Amino acid sequence: AQKVTQAQTEISVVEKEDVTLDCVYETRDTTYYLFWYKQPPSGELVFLIRRNSFDEQNEISGRYSWNFQKSTSSFNFTITASQVVDSAVYFCALSDLGAMDSNYQLIWGAGTKLIIKP
Amino acid sequence: DGGITQSPKYLFRKEGQNVTLSCEQNLNHDAMYWYRQDPGQGLRLIYYSQIVNDFQKGDIAEGYSVSREKKESFPLTVTSAQKNPTAFYLCASTWGGGTEAFFGQGTRLTVV
């Protein structure tokens, strides 16, 4: 069965510190996609990144970076030099390509609440 | 601009009433979803639809109903059978498996 685990319920750091949010996934499929979303206090989920299972290259976008490791089934997210505006709930999600028992569903982690203190 | 529009942003329901939450998208996406989010919790799937006139129950469908008469629209009705409807409801759409989901702004439903 598919599953996404975000073991960190809440993380609190002081501004300018680096912080890593963990995501561990389980799937039987060889072809799948992983996602990260940000949910600010306003509530709307904002898409951050999509990574397919065949591309293990790390990705960097400004202060954000993602580390995908199939060997450990992890897709971790790091914010460098955190800012107060990064405070939000971050969700990791998994999707396969529509196998018989998936029906295009996104499997969500429980989310990690990130608090950046000034 | 393309996107997903949910309305209303806030909704108050009296006990025993049915209420309908609107979700419209102009992204030409095939699949649409409804999620429920309780305070401090993650997303739970209520219903989803891959094509017009077809929809499937998610993990917590009891007390909810949907329709998909048009590709652009996927309204959710919270019926009186839903005993604890107070929550934040999010609508999303995607091209299909493996593609990113786009979300609406959400509807915050409160039972009064």
Side-chain angles (χ1 to χ4, degrees), chain A residues 35-38 46-50 61 64 66 77 90-91:
Chain A
F35 305 82
W36 275 96
Y37 285 82
K38 174 181 180 180
V46 178
F47 166 73
L48 295 177
I49 190 171
R50 179 181 77 157
S61 177
Y64 295 173
W66 291 269
F77 173 32
Y90 291 85
F91 289 96

Side-chain angles (χ1 to χ4, degrees), chain A residues 5-113:
Chain A
T5 302
Q6 294 180 256
Q8 304 150 309
T9 303
E10 183 174 308
I11 301 174
S12 181
V13 300
V14 177
E15 197 173 23
K16 298 183 182 176
E17 287 186 15
D18 299 346
V19 58
T20 296
L21 309 181
D22 297 332
C23 174
V24 175
Y25 63 92
E26 297 176 28
T27 179
R28 296 169 296 183
D29 300 304
T30 56
T31 303
Y32 52 88
Y33 288 83
L34 296 163
F35 305 82
W36 275 96
Y37 285 82
K38 174 181 180 180
Q39 186 178 38
S42 62
E44 181 176 353
L45 268 79
V46 178
F47 166 73
L48 295 177
I49 190 171
R50 179 181 77 157
R51 172 66 74 221
N52 75 57
S53 54
F54 298 108
D55 182 2
E56 288 194 71
Q57 281 190 332
N58 290 334
E59 173 116 0
I60 299 174
S61 177
R63 297 184 296 106
Y64 295 173
S65 62
W66 291 269
N67 182 11
F68 176 32
Q69 292 195 343
K70 288 178 75 171
S71 60
T72 56
S73 296
S74 65
F75 186 44
N76 297 337
F77 173 32
T78 297
I79 301 175
T80 303
S82 61
Q83 299 176 3
V84 172
V85 294
D86 295 326
S87 297
V89 179
Y90 291 85
F91 289 96
C92 180
L94 165 73
S95 173
D96 62 24
L97 288 186
M100 287 288 289
D101 61 348
S102 74
N103 292 313
Y104 294 176
Q105 287 190 48
L106 278 163
I107 308 301
W108 294 87
T112 297
K113 183 176 183 178

Side-chain angles (χ1 to χ4, degrees), chain B residues 3-5 23-29 32 52 68-75 91:
Chain B
I4 299 181
T5 301
C23 178
E24 303 277 335
Q25 55 100 356
N26 60 5
L27 300 165
N28 201 31
H29 284 170
M32 296 187 73
V52 174
R68 187 90 186 273
E69 298 176 359
K70 298 185 300 181
K71 188 175 186 177
E72 303 79 19
S73 179
F74 192 41
C91 180

